[in-house]
Amino acid sequence: MKNLIPQPGDALLIVDLQNDFLPGGKLAVPDGDRVIPMLNRYAEAFRQKSLPLYASRDWHPENHCSFEKQGGPWPPHCIQNTEGAHFAAELDLENAVIISKADTEEADAYSAFQGTDLDHQLKNSGIRRLFIGGLATDYCVLNTVRDAVQNTYEVILLEDAVRGVNVNPTDAAQALAEMRDLGCRTACVQDVCLGLPPPSPLLTDLYQLTMLKSYADQGMTRQAVFEFFVRDLPPQRNFLMFAGLDPVLCFLETLHFPETDLDGLKQGGRFPDEFIEGLRGFRFTGDVDAMPEGTVFFADEPVLRVTAPISEAQFVETRILNLLHYSILVASKAARCVLAANGERRLVDFGLRRAPGAEAGWLAARSAYLAGFDGTATVLAGVTDDIPLYGTMAHSYIQAHADEASAFRAFCRSWPDNNILLLDTYDVMRALDTVIKLSGKLKKEGIRIQGVRLDSGDLASQARGVRQKLDEAGLEHIRIFASGNLDEHRAAEFITQAVPIDGFGIGTRLTVSDDAPFLECVYKLQEYDGKPRRKRSEGKATLPGAKQVFRQRDADGLFSGDRLALAEETMEGEALLQPVMRGGRRLHRQPAMEAMRTHAARQLQALPGPLRSLTEFTDYPVAISEALQTLTHRLDTQQQAFGWGLNGSVFRTIIGFFRKAF
Amino acid sequence: MKNLIPQPGDALLIVDLQNDFLPGGKLAVPDGDRVIPMLNRYAEAFRQKSLPLYASRDWHPENHCSFEKQGGPWPPHCIQNTEGAHFAAELDLENAVIISKADTEEADAYSAFQGTDLDHQLKNSGIRRLFIGGLATDYCVLNTVRDAVQNTYEVILLEDAVRGVNVNPTDAAQALAEMRDLGCRTACVQDVCLGLPPPSPLLTDLYQLTMLKSYADQGMTRQAVFEFFVRDLPPQRNFLMFAGLDPVLCFLETLHFPETDLDGLKQGGRFPDEFIEGLRGFRFTGDVDAMPEGTVFFADEPVLRVTAPISEAQFVETRILNLLHYSILVASKAARCVLAANGERRLVDFGLRRAPGAEAGWLAARSAYLAGFDGTATVLAGVTDDIPLYGTMAHSYIQAHADEASAFRAFCRSWPDNNILLLDTYDVMRALDTVIKLSGKLKKEGIRIQGVRLDSGDLASQARGVRQKLDEAGLEHIRIFASGNLDEHRAAEFITQAVPIDGFGIGTRLTVSDDAPFLECVYKLQEYDGKPRRKRSEGKATLPGAKQVFRQRDADGLFSGDRLALAEETMEGEALLQPVMRGGRRLHRQPAMEAMRTHAARQLQALPGPLRSLTEFTDYPVAISEALQTLTHRLDTQQQAFGWGLNGSVFRTIIGFFRKAF
């Protein structure tokens, strides 16, 4: 079977995802909108590899020959420049080449190849294989596939991203059968997109669904503004680093309820069927503003703002918290390790095994790398995000062999250019003798021992002993790696003491952030239907309204203070929250991991000295703009007027906020 | 579209998964073995719901008419009682009804219905819908489906669990087209099985794959024994509770490398293609012995033992650690909460939002419930594991309304029998006044307010005030729930002080186990090719050989001491490790969650008094059998004789172990 992962020579072709073919349109394909989240995922997979996207569209003049008035079979649809001819708003077509067809009165075309230069464009771009999805299976998709095969393209039909009209009930099935007969292979998202499959939308708190039902019962559909922020920094943190935005945007782009989940909810018996059926069309259509991943931030600062109809903005709360909390936790811990290593030592994430579950392992590799780690041992993260992979050998490998010498020799023969030998299974210095003896013999076979690893005991004194012996043996090129219970403090200590360790494998303490295992992060309603809102719970009061964070720098370019302001204010300094999604679609292509890493590195460089300390904890000044203070007072006074009153602790909270003001 | 989740009236029919149809068999279907992990998942989904499984088989006499010698088209195959006629060893057919066909010389039958009483059995059991998978698409599956449709069954064809012979290259595609034309619907695992999809097998450490290649290069294929254990308890734990076994067994049963992952590895360029191709047939075919989930255990005690060819036993290390570490961490924290609540208060997992990623949220709900929690807010866990769901409302819900009264009223109208109203958005006692006023009005609408929730401030004094006011208003039935920064210590304090809180929502501190955020758990090679192995790293030495844990009880039935012994020893007390998987197949049906919960509750009841303390930490006696001590000494002496020697710290470790001996 052949490779289904997109690669050079492949293109994605999205057929006719236009409003008139969607529910509510002139020529609606039943459930046609359900292909959108799938197509967005495919499109992202292609964009990520800089592979081309094409999108065809019906682009009819008003009196097109296919319309009933002109004797054709269809009602008027997809008339040029009308709303019905527009692509689905939620479909992300960034960078796609648009192919318009049937754009004169007399020409009809089901196929995207008919009367267009699509074949020419594809051939010119060296495309040999087309991944095809869209609407409708039994008309434009079928005809496009026929022509694609005719024009000698290999075709992968995206079975979860097509839907049929089914004028006769088996039309779509027959079309699929014909396409298979033509030699098309079929594929689903999980065949094409590597990585962790998105979890069920039922991975949420029950109350999100009970509230959704109640919002629906009341017809509450106005825009809500929610912000994600961290209430207080953990005592062991001078700053936090933002991470997890891209996973959140992926979640929002592809959010929908698959049949299985609707079925599961029905079987649960808790919700009425009509409510569950209503979830079938549930999508995220809102806006997101956020700090770029890798940005340093502080308590009370919104790092992500969601503006959407309240049901959508509400429902996504649980998963947004779930993704951001852990991503930030690990990035912030990793950033401390990066400060400790100071560019002088290599840092590798070894934490998958004790990361909390599958997704945490993957998120941790990603967060650590963007914070400045050099790589990870987690293969999946290497494959999905091009993160450099590192690996050595386990004690079990050595134990399974009759002795260390045969284990080392066998491993080096399997991996002549890529081997790090583990020294501490039995006795470090004896193992080192074995390595030194072997290195000469293996050299004759053209094998070069790359490094050794220490994983237990007094790493500093072992490393010194090992380095000295290696150097004496003329093996200066052999690097020393260390692992086992390491964190930023151990790394800093080794560096201060000039311990000759070249790289650290940092595992458990990274992936559980042991010294600060959680953040007081929340996602709070700040505005509904244009009106700012304020929660006043004791010790958990919030600042109302949609906000922005402005950051100022000193003469040396170091961060000198932030100011929380209302989103509409303009102030000195850099506005940290930027638009990233509008109407459920990303505004920018997923940033390359390397760009995020560079941003994170620059952020760490701009940290004022006291915040760089791993052991001393200092407050960074975060002020509150006058307008925001005034709004907060006004809301409290209004609410008081409405008879709710303010209790003492709320006053204390407000005063607490204002004490921070410049 | 109709429900694809198995429900009463559904049955799974597995067609002819026999050795002769698998690679290496007499009539091998290409890639036929790749359907096994899928079928095991389907079968488990059916068994979990006590729905019936049927498995058909060719059961030919030696001179069957379909054989070439007798003028038929096929070589001899599936001859009764031969190895070739046996079902695939890795296929889990527990509880399946076997349907033998073509079992006389003159009768041939491609269809499982032909000449069998399958239709009769199905009709008698009330089956109306059949989920069908197996071998081969273009022969026995096709004919079975034809007859099923003929016999008026609705058919769901399991498209990822069939493979074709393809005598002509499009045979299987044509068969699929015909089955669709007959009205079959097709489904894949993710349509049928709710829950988190299994992550890619690439969610592993790089070194597992580099070692696999080296084992393969050397032809090392002998049996290895690995054990999972925790080296030391965290300082804040008197005991740990085992959890995560079922997720591990699911992982082992379904482990395989999908095409996408093989493709991803190839694109990575690190491994030679022939090695990657070799992974295509990679399965787990080994044995597992383990403690039942919910068992209390201590440091150094193996809770899970894997015996398998070394490549398999090695490769599964990372994911086994990843699943068990977190499951045990949360179950152990939850068990402490259960001890604190003492059956007097309800405990609900509220921790998904700050759980580390998707899988952690789901694992945490499961671990907490089996440890004795009353339920979870995580919808997915409720749907997949029948865990009772709890939910209230968010502050945002209240803030989005003009005032609290309208928010409470609207929610109660949406949920007349199931409402818990949140009091602390603005001011607890004023919100309570609103609730009390509303309760009378709503009563007239037939709506009964069930409960209130407190989420901030001084919960104890608030709860007392709220209880008193509610009681004074004659609303004794309204329960008080509390959440916000709770853990076992807060719960215990409230109970000691008789604070009138009826239930606790325990969130972050449960799902990150904040006071003990990780365990020193490891998965270590203890034996290879029948020879016990011992790692002697400083501070990390292991006890060699396959082991068993024997637990003794005192006269009151309380745990009085454990003994680590060699697996072949028999000793007084209960042997805690039990066989759960042999040859890659489970020995028992997945235990019901309720059974695990009962076991966990009994384990907690049998804890000796000092271990029940939440604040005082005591050692529990774990001794080492004489045979195990002798073996350990013998290995060290042998290794010394081989010239490896023992350093001081290793001696100290041994002595450390033996100090624990009775």
Side-chain angles (χ1 to χ4, degrees):
Chain A
M1 199 177 284
K2 277 175 61 193
N3 205 323
L4 285 171
I5 303 185
Q7 51 194 300
D10 291 345
L12 176 66
L13 172 55
I14 297 177
V15 177
D16 298 8
L17 246 285
Q18 295 167 273
N19 290 329
D20 271 343
F21 298 129
L22 297 175
K26 299 270 170 41
L27 202 49
V29 179
D31 282 336
D33 57 333
R34 289 177 71 68
V35 304
I36 298 172
M38 298 301 153
L39 287 171
N40 280 338
R41 285 196 67 203
Y42 288 117
E44 190 52 39
F46 276 75
R47 272 194 295 264
Q48 233 180 330
K49 300 201 162 185
S50 305
L51 298 174
L53 273 69
Y54 294 83
S56 70
R57 62 181 181 186
D58 265 3
W59 197 243
H60 298 325
E62 266 185 46
N63 293 312
H64 188 249
C65 59
S66 74
F67 298 169
E68 284 154 350
K69 268 197 183 160
Q70 276 65 35
W74 308 116
H77 63 277
C78 298
I79 295 173
Q80 292 166 13
N81 300 311
T82 62
E83 183 56 29
H86 289 168
F87 289 111
E90 297 152 33
L91 183 69
D92 189 353
L93 286 179
E94 201 201 331
N95 293 347
V97 176
I98 310 301
I99 303 291
S100 302
K101 61 189 170 82
D103 54 358
T104 59
E105 289 188 3
E106 61 286 352
D108 199 11
Y110 286 152
S111 159
F113 287 92
Q114 199 176 333
T116 69
D117 66 344
L118 176 59
D119 182 49
H120 183 72
Q121 287 201 45
L122 293 172
K123 294 258 161 63
N124 270 356
S125 312
I127 302 304
R128 293 175 303 275
R129 191 162 73 155
L130 284 174
F131 290 64
I132 298 179
L135 301 175
T137 318
D138 32 3
Y139 293 93
C140 293
V141 170
L142 173 63
N143 283 280
T144 300
V145 166
R146 280 178 185 154
D147 284 351
V149 171
Q150 183 73 30
N151 287 316
T152 72
Y153 298 98
E154 196 183 329
V155 174
I156 313 290
L157 182 74
L158 304 172
E159 208 171 354
D160 52 2
V162 293
R163 285 292 187 284
V165 179
N166 284 322
V167 172
N168 305 303
T170 59
D171 280 358
Q174 278 177 13
L176 281 170
E178 179 184 335
M179 291 187 274
R180 281 177 206 268
D181 283 352
L182 287 172
C184 291
R185 292 164 63 199
T186 56
C188 298
V189 157
Q190 66 273 19
D191 303 320
V192 175
C193 305
L194 259 173
L196 290 174
S200 156
L202 302 185
L203 193 80
T204 189
D205 286 309
L206 179 64
Y207 79 6
Q208 309 294 6
L209 288 170
T210 55
M211 288 189 284
L212 238 61
K213 178 178 180 304
S214 187
Y215 289 140
D217 290 348
Q218 299 169 74
M220 281 175 68
T221 56
R222 298 300 174 85
Q223 295 279 309
V225 176
F226 280 79
E227 288 175 344
F228 175 101
F229 60 98
V230 175
R231 274 197 202 112
D232 298 295
L233 297 198
Q236 306 296 318
R237 294 289 178 272
N238 270 324
F239 65 91
L240 298 174
M241 179 172 276
F242 185 50
L245 175 61
D246 191 66
V248 164
L249 296 180
C250 287
F251 159 65
L252 296 175
E253 267 188 327
T254 59
L255 176 61
H256 70 291
F257 285 77
E259 297 301 327
T260 320
D261 300 279
L262 298 174
D263 293 349
L265 273 185
K266 281 184 195 159
Q267 290 195 14
R270 177 182 296 264
F271 294 92
D273 275 6
E274 66 272 21
F275 169 73
I276 297 172
E277 282 301 316
L279 294 176
R280 193 180 291 279
F282 189 83
R283 300 282 183 282
F284 182 77
T285 64
D287 300 342
V288 179
D289 295 79
M291 294 187 188
E293 292 196 71
T295 303
V296 160
F297 72 98
F298 304 95
D300 295 326
E301 297 185 343
V303 292
L304 177 129
R305 186 201 314 139
V306 171
T307 308
I310 190 160
S311 291
E312 300 173 19
Q314 176 75 67
F315 180 78
V316 300
E317 174 186 33
T318 306
R319 180 68 171 145
I320 285 182
L321 283 163
N322 174 265
L323 282 168
L324 291 186
H325 173 259
Y326 186 66
S327 298
I328 293 169
L329 197 69
V330 175
S332 304
K333 179 76 171 173
R336 289 166 57 82
C337 298
V338 171
L339 289 176
N342 200 22
E344 297 168 29
R345 299 293 192 279
R346 197 158 279 193
L347 294 172
V348 179
D349 155 38
F350 271 14
L352 171 59
R353 55 188 53 208
R354 291 193 195 145
E359 192 176 66
W362 181 83
L363 287 172
R366 182 183 180 281
S367 290
Y369 187 62
L370 90 80
F373 268 49
D374 296 280
T376 180
T378 303
V379 181
L380 185 65
V383 174
T384 58
D385 288 66
D386 284 330
I387 300 176
L389 289 175
Y390 289 79
T392 63
M393 55 168 51
H395 295 103
S396 53
Y397 179 88
I398 298 195
Q399 291 175 274
H401 288 78
D403 54 53
E404 269 177 332
S406 41
F408 291 161
R409 193 184 308 115
F411 195 82
C412 289
R413 285 182 178 155
S414 287
W415 296 101
D417 308 315
N418 196 348
N419 52 65
I420 295 174
L421 306 176
L422 182 55
L423 295 187
D424 73 326
T425 307
Y426 307 110
D427 180 287
V428 168
M429 295 317 280
R430 279 172 193 271
L432 181 64
D433 290 340
T434 306
V435 167
I436 291 172
K437 264 186 239 158
L438 261 179
S439 73
K441 292 184 197 163
L442 289 173
K443 207 175 165 186
K444 293 173 198 153
E445 301 179 31
I447 295 168
R448 194 176 148 96
I449 295 175
Q450 312 285 313
V452 294
R453 175 162 73 105
L454 303 168
D455 185 52
S456 57
D458 180 347
L459 297 175
S461 83
Q462 285 176 13
R464 290 205 178 90
V466 167
R467 184 74 273 158
Q468 191 184 340
K469 265 198 153 179
L470 285 173
D471 292 351
E472 286 167 8
L475 297 169
E476 292 85 356
H477 73 276
I478 295 185
R479 304 291 89 195
I480 301 176
F481 291 90
S483 57
N485 217 7
L486 299 185
D487 62 8
E488 67 272 36
H489 300 291
R490 299 290 306 283
E493 184 190 316
F494 290 150
I495 290 170
T496 309
Q497 297 170 5
V499 176
I501 294 176
D502 301 284
F504 301 111
I506 303 200
T508 310
R509 291 178 189 273
L510 171 70
T511 51
V512 308
S513 181
D514 67 310
D515 61 335
F518 65 91
L519 302 173
E520 288 286 356
C521 60
V522 291
Y523 174 90
K524 289 292 170 194
L525 180 76
Q526 311 293 29
E527 191 180 301
Y528 179 65
D529 195 14
K531 294 180 202 74
R533 304 287 167 147
R534 177 159 201 253
K535 176 185 165 191
R536 295 208 310 273
S537 317
E538 213 175 318
K540 292 182 177 179
T542 60
L543 290 168
K547 292 180 285 297
Q548 178 57 278
V549 183
F550 293 93
R551 176 161 298 167
Q552 294 189 295
R553 297 191 184 225
D554 66 15
D556 300 323
L558 302 184
F559 302 153
S560 60
D562 291 358
R563 192 179 291 262
L564 283 180
L566 291 170
E568 67 259 25
E569 292 187 83
T570 41
M571 306 219 121
E572 260 183 281
E574 187 187 359
L576 299 183
L577 289 158
Q578 297 297 328
V580 292
M581 181 175 267
R582 287 295 176 266
R585 283 172 47 182
R586 282 173 201 256
L587 294 180
H588 316 287
R589 226 181 108 180
Q590 185 176 356
M593 181 57 87
E594 292 307 320
M596 295 192 274
R597 251 167 86 77
T598 305
H599 176 66
R602 291 200 181 127
Q603 290 278 306
L604 293 182
Q605 281 159 13
L607 274 182
L611 297 194
R612 307 176 70 86
S613 168
L614 302 177
T615 49
E616 306 279 321
F617 299 95
T618 321
D619 274 348
Y620 174 85
V622 178
I624 299 182
S625 79
E626 275 187 41
L628 181 50
Q629 293 187 36
T630 308
L631 174 67
T632 310
H633 277 302
R634 182 167 63 75
L635 279 189
D636 287 344
T637 319
Q638 275 177 2
Q639 288 173 341
Q640 209 166 11
F642 279 123
W644 285 329
L646 285 177
N647 60 28
S649 69
V650 172
F651 272 124
R652 277 195 302 280
T653 310
I654 299 176
I655 292 162
F657 272 127
F658 294 166
R659 253 190 303 122
K660 295 185 190 173
F662 285 149
Chain B
M1 200 177 283
K2 277 174 62 191
N3 203 323
L4 285 171
I5 302 185
Q7 49 192 302
D10 293 344
L12 176 65
L13 172 55
I14 297 176
V15 176
D16 299 9
L17 245 284
Q18 295 168 272
N19 290 329
D20 270 345
F21 297 130
L22 297 175
K26 299 270 171 41
L27 204 48
V29 180
D31 281 337
D33 56 334
R34 289 179 71 71
V35 304
I36 299 173
M38 299 298 155
L39 288 169
N40 280 338
R41 285 195 68 200
Y42 288 116
E44 191 52 40
F46 275 75
R47 273 194 296 262
Q48 234 181 330
K49 301 202 162 186
S50 304
L51 298 173
L53 273 69
Y54 294 82
S56 71
R57 61 179 180 187
D58 265 4
W59 198 241
H60 299 323
E62 266 185 45
N63 294 312
H64 187 251
C65 59
S66 75
F67 298 169
E68 283 155 350
K69 266 197 185 161
Q70 275 67 36
W74 307 117
H77 64 276
C78 297
I79 295 172
Q80 292 167 13
N81 300 310
T82 62
E83 184 57 29
H86 288 166
F87 289 111
E90 297 151 32
L91 183 70
D92 188 354
L93 287 177
E94 202 201 329
N95 292 347
V97 177
I98 308 301
I99 304 292
S100 302
K101 62 190 171 79
D103 55 358
T104 58
E105 288 187 4
E106 61 285 353
D108 199 11
Y110 285 153
S111 159
F113 287 93
Q114 198 178 335
T116 69
D117 67 345
L118 176 59
D119 182 49
H120 184 74
Q121 287 201 46
L122 292 172
K123 294 259 159 61
N124 270 356
S125 311
I127 302 304
R128 293 176 301 278
R129 191 162 73 154
L130 283 174
F131 290 62
I132 299 179
L135 302 175
T137 318
D138 34 0
Y139 293 93
C140 294
V141 170
L142 173 63
N143 283 280
T144 300
V145 167
R146 281 178 184 156
D147 284 353
V149 171
Q150 182 72 30
N151 288 313
T152 75
Y153 298 97
E154 195 183 326
V155 174
I156 313 290
L157 182 73
L158 304 173
E159 209 173 352
D160 53 1
V162 292
R163 283 294 186 287
V165 177
N166 285 323
V167 171
N168 305 304
T170 60
D171 281 358
Q174 280 178 13
L176 282 170
E178 178 184 336
M179 292 187 273
R180 282 176 204 266
D181 284 349
L182 288 171
C184 291
R185 293 165 61 203
T186 55
C188 297
V189 157
Q190 66 272 21
D191 303 320
V192 174
C193 304
L194 260 172
L196 290 174
S200 155
L202 301 186
L203 194 79
T204 189
D205 287 308
L206 179 64
Y207 80 7
Q208 308 295 4
L209 289 170
T210 54
M211 287 190 285
L212 240 60
K213 176 177 182 303
S214 186
Y215 289 141
D217 289 347
Q218 299 170 73
M220 281 176 69
T221 56
R222 298 300 174 82
Q223 294 279 308
V225 176
F226 280 80
E227 288 175 345
F228 175 100
F229 60 98
V230 175
R231 274 197 201 114
D232 298 296
L233 296 198
Q236 306 296 318
R237 295 291 178 270
N238 269 323
F239 64 90
L240 298 173
M241 178 172 277
F242 185 50
L245 175 60
D246 190 66
V248 163
L249 296 179
C250 288
F251 159 65
L252 295 175
E253 267 188 327
T254 59
L255 176 60
H256 70 291
F257 285 79
E259 297 301 327
T260 319
D261 299 280
L262 298 176
D263 293 348
L265 273 186
K266 280 183 197 162
Q267 290 194 13
R270 180 182 294 266
F271 294 93
D273 276 7
E274 66 270 21
F275 170 73
I276 298 173
E277 281 302 315
L279 294 175
R280 193 180 291 280
F282 191 83
R283 299 284 182 282
F284 182 77
T285 64
D287 300 343
V288 179
D289 295 79
M291 294 188 186
E293 290 197 71
T295 302
V296 159
F297 72 97
F298 304 94
D300 295 327
E301 296 185 345
V303 292
L304 177 127
R305 188 201 313 138
V306 170
T307 309
I310 191 160
S311 290
E312 299 174 20
Q314 176 74 67
F315 180 78
V316 299
E317 174 186 32
T318 305
R319 180 69 170 146
I320 285 181
L321 283 162
N322 175 267
L323 282 167
L324 292 185
H325 172 259
Y326 186 67
S327 298
I328 293 169
L329 197 68
V330 174
S332 303
K333 178 78 171 172
R336 288 166 57 84
C337 299
V338 170
L339 289 175
N342 200 22
E344 295 167 31
R345 298 292 192 282
R346 199 158 278 193
L347 294 173
V348 179
D349 154 39
F350 272 13
L352 171 59
R353 58 187 51 210
R354 292 194 196 144
E359 192 176 66
W362 181 83
L363 287 172
R366 181 184 182 279
S367 289
Y369 187 63
L370 88 82
F373 268 49
D374 296 279
T376 180
T378 304
V379 181
L380 186 65
V383 174
T384 57
D385 287 65
D386 283 331
I387 299 176
L389 289 176
Y390 289 79
T392 64
M393 55 169 49
H395 297 103
S396 53
Y397 179 88
I398 300 197
Q399 292 174 271
H401 288 80
D403 55 51
E404 268 177 335
S406 42
F408 291 161
R409 193 185 307 113
F411 195 82
C412 288
R413 285 181 178 154
S414 286
W415 295 101
D417 308 315
N418 196 348
N419 51 64
I420 295 173
L421 306 176
L422 182 55
L423 296 186
D424 73 325
T425 307
Y426 307 112
D427 179 288
V428 168
M429 296 316 280
R430 281 173 191 270
L432 182 64
D433 289 341
T434 306
V435 168
I436 290 171
K437 266 186 238 157
L438 260 181
S439 74
K441 294 184 196 161
L442 289 173
K443 208 174 162 183
K444 293 174 197 151
E445 301 179 30
I447 294 170
R448 193 177 149 95
I449 295 175
Q450 312 284 312
V452 293
R453 174 162 73 105
L454 304 168
D455 186 51
S456 56
D458 180 347
L459 298 175
S461 84
Q462 286 176 10
R464 288 205 179 88
V466 168
R467 183 76 272 158
Q468 190 184 341
K469 266 200 154 175
L470 285 173
D471 291 351
E472 285 166 10
L475 296 169
E476 293 86 355
H477 73 277
I478 294 185
R479 303 291 88 195
I480 302 175
F481 291 88
S483 55
N485 216 7
L486 300 184
D487 62 8
E488 68 272 37
H489 300 290
R490 300 291 305 281
E493 184 190 316
F494 291 150
I495 291 170
T496 309
Q497 297 170 4
V499 175
I501 294 174
D502 301 283
F504 302 110
I506 304 200
T508 310
R509 291 178 189 274
L510 171 70
T511 50
V512 308
S513 183
D514 67 310
D515 61 335
F518 66 91
L519 302 172
E520 288 286 355
C521 61
V522 291
Y523 173 89
K524 288 292 169 194
L525 180 76
Q526 311 293 27
E527 193 180 299
Y528 179 64
D529 195 14
K531 293 179 204 74
R533 303 287 168 147
R534 176 156 201 254
K535 176 187 167 190
R536 295 206 312 272
S537 318
E538 215 175 316
K540 293 182 177 177
T542 60
L543 289 166
K547 291 178 284 297
Q548 178 58 279
V549 182
F550 293 93
R551 176 161 297 167
Q552 293 191 295
R553 297 188 184 229
D554 66 15
D556 300 322
L558 303 183
F559 301 153
S560 61
D562 292 358
R563 193 179 291 262
L564 284 180
L566 291 169
E568 69 258 25
E569 290 187 83
T570 42
M571 305 218 122
E572 260 183 284
E574 188 188 358
L576 299 183
L577 290 157
Q578 297 297 327
V580 291
M581 181 174 266
R582 286 294 176 266
R585 283 172 47 182
R586 282 172 201 259
L587 294 178
H588 318 289
R589 225 181 108 181
Q590 187 175 354
M593 182 57 89
E594 291 307 320
M596 293 192 277
R597 249 166 87 77
T598 306
H599 175 67
R602 291 201 181 126
Q603 290 278 307
L604 292 182
Q605 281 157 14
L607 274 181
L611 297 195
R612 307 175 70 86
S613 168
L614 302 177
T615 48
E616 307 277 321
F617 300 94
T618 322
D619 274 349
Y620 174 84
V622 178
I624 299 181
S625 79
E626 274 186 42
L628 181 49
Q629 293 188 36
T630 308
L631 174 67
T632 309
H633 278 303
R634 183 168 60 76
L635 279 188
D636 287 342
T637 320
Q638 275 177 2
Q639 288 173 340
Q640 210 167 10
F642 280 125
W644 286 328
L646 285 177
N647 60 27
S649 69
V650 173
F651 272 123
R652 277 195 303 280
T653 312
I654 301 176
I655 291 162
F657 272 127
F658 294 166
R659 253 192 301 121
K660 295 185 190 172
F662 284 149

